[in-house]
Amino acid sequence: MTSLSPADAERLRLAFQRCRDMEGTLNEQLHAYADASREVFPAYGEAVDRLVVRLNGNGGGETAPRPGDAMPPFMLPDETARLVALSALLEQGPVAVMFFRGHWCPYCRLNMRAVAQAEARIRAMGAQVVAIMPETQEFTEQLKDDADARFPILTDLDNGYALSLNLAIWLGTEIQQLLSYQDMAKFHGNDGWVLPIPAVFVVGRDGIVKARFVDPDFRKRVEIDDLLAALESASRER
């Protein structure tokens, strides 16, 4: 089992740029990158397939909040160290609470960029987005700048909030070895190799989950049109 070589890392970087700039939906971009990644680094693609099978077998994300459930509260620091509470956000309108793996994850970068491009439409309907990931503020700020996002990106250090939602997963030794070229201990402030399942919860002003997207396969994300439709529906509720 080998990690990624510098030459293959460059091939992946170029593939990411092509997928980022291609016309199409978010999931078309993600699928194109997954195909390119599997061609360059097949061992990782196969390991992710096995991880997804394991998580599905264990009911990964199944017990996370569902529509009709109250969304558990949070108060987490944003990229400027300002504490942000869910309750304060909900005073302004419905919120899409989105979990990301980290700035190093190309799927998260594509996802974040697509959401940032839709932010004006989201705000126009009286809704908003907040992103949560387990990295320190240095890297949440980096991802925010890279995506040109205006919404807050919060640090869930040690995955405390993700754990409370049953979204936190251990990647396993196989994935750790394949991703050893990434300095996860620096990014997360620990070497636990625990990440959240990427997920979205659309929360109404009443604090109730109106819609959710949870998939243990991080290569799949909620489509932007579906996110907008869920937020628009929540915005119409009083």
Side-chain angles (χ1 to χ4, degrees):
M1 186 179 300
T2 59
S3 185
L4 193 66
S5 71
D8 284 341
E10 176 63 12
R11 290 174 64 195
L12 279 183
R13 186 187 70 80
L14 294 174
F16 172 82
Q17 290 182 343
R18 289 194 302 272
C19 296
R20 180 196 62 193
D21 297 336
M22 68 179 277
E23 294 293 329
T25 66
L26 170 60
N27 276 288
E28 287 171 344
Q29 293 178 334
L30 295 171
H31 185 75
Y33 182 78
D35 286 345
S37 175
R38 191 180 294 272
E39 182 177 336
V40 174
F41 197 13
Y44 182 64
E46 293 163 5
V48 169
D49 290 342
R50 288 189 286 272
L51 173 65
V52 171
V53 168
R54 172 169 67 86
L55 293 175
N56 280 324
N58 294 337
E62 278 296 308
T63 58
R66 293 182 173 276
D69 294 342
M71 189 68 181
F74 62 73
M75 181 178 286
L76 298 168
D78 68 9
E79 67 282 351
T80 67
R82 179 178 66 94
L83 288 175
V84 176
L86 176 60
S87 57
L89 295 174
L90 291 174
E91 291 176 359
Q92 305 170 47
V95 180
V97 180
M98 307 188 70
F99 286 83
F100 293 84
R101 288 152 46 91
H103 82 288
W104 57 271
C105 171
Y107 300 92
C108 292
R109 294 205 303 274
L110 290 170
N111 190 178
M112 183 73 72
R113 183 171 181 267
V115 175
Q117 290 174 338
E119 188 176 11
R121 286 178 286 169
I122 292 171
R123 289 197 174 276
M125 65 178 71
Q128 57 196 310
V129 172
V130 63
I132 298 175
M133 59 192 233
E135 295 191 318
T136 63
Q137 289 153 19
E138 173 186 355
F139 302 106
T140 60
E141 184 174 22
Q142 184 174 323
L143 181 58
K144 183 171 182 173
D145 289 345
D146 180 64
D148 195 24
R150 297 290 181 264
F151 50 83
I153 303 181
L154 311 184
T155 291
D156 183 23
L157 209 58
D158 298 329
N159 289 281
Y161 187 56
L163 280 165
S164 75
L165 304 183
N166 296 309
L167 288 176
I169 59 168
W170 177 58
L171 293 185
T173 55
E174 182 181 28
I175 298 286
Q176 288 181 42
Q177 291 170 0
L178 290 167
L179 288 181
S180 59
Y181 63 94
Q182 299 281 12
D183 193 350
M184 294 294 194
K186 178 181 179 181
F187 301 157
H188 296 165
N190 64 66
D191 59 358
W193 288 84
V194 175
L195 293 177
I197 295 174
V200 179
F201 303 90
V202 173
V203 185
R205 295 191 67 168
D206 57 2
I208 302 300
V209 176
K210 308 301 181 181
R212 80 166 199 170
F213 178 90
V214 179
D215 193 326
D217 189 343
F218 61 80
R219 298 166 294 193
K220 302 174 183 176
R221 306 295 171 100
V222 65
E223 200 55 81
I224 299 302
D225 285 347
D226 294 333
L227 174 63
L228 291 171
L231 284 168
E232 185 174 17
S233 177
S235 297
R236 289 197 298 263
E237 294 186 9
R238 299 297 178 190

